[in-house]
Amino acid sequence: MFASSALIALGEAPDPTSGERTVDLDQAREAVDILLLLREKTEGNRTEQESQLLEEILYDLQMRFVQAAQGESG
């Protein structure tokens, strides 16, 4: 859910209500921050598979965030 919200906020997926693609870096940052918090709070309570999936999602979203931020500043 948070990963989907981040993708929508990064303009990588259309908003389900409007069908439009817009970039909202603040909203994307909040979604990524929540996932980082969940990673911290669930440490030791995840399976190896869950941990690997979470790490892959976070890495992907963080890279997309950097690209979107560079696109807005450049």
Side-chain angles (χ1 to χ4, degrees), residues 40-73:
E40 178 185 329
K41 296 296 182 181
T42 60
E43 187 68 37
N45 295 315
R46 297 184 307 265
T47 65
E48 181 62 35
Q49 198 172 27
E50 290 168 333
S51 293
Q52 183 177 352
L53 178 62
L54 182 57
E55 291 302 321
E56 289 173 4
I57 289 170
L58 278 166
Y59 177 80
D60 182 58
L61 290 174
Q62 288 172 323
M63 292 299 106
R64 289 174 189 254
F65 182 89
V66 169
Q67 289 174 341
Q70 287 175 343
E72 282 206 349
S73 67

Side-chain angles (χ1 to χ4, degrees), residues 2-3 6 25-41 54 58 61-62 65:
F2 293 113
L25 292 178
D26 289 333
Q27 186 177 0
R29 181 181 293 118
E30 287 179 20
V32 171
D33 285 347
I34 290 170
L35 285 169
L36 289 167
L37 179 65
L38 285 171
R39 178 180 69 179
E40 178 185 329
K41 296 296 182 181
L54 182 57
L58 278 166
L61 290 174
Q62 288 172 323
F65 182 89

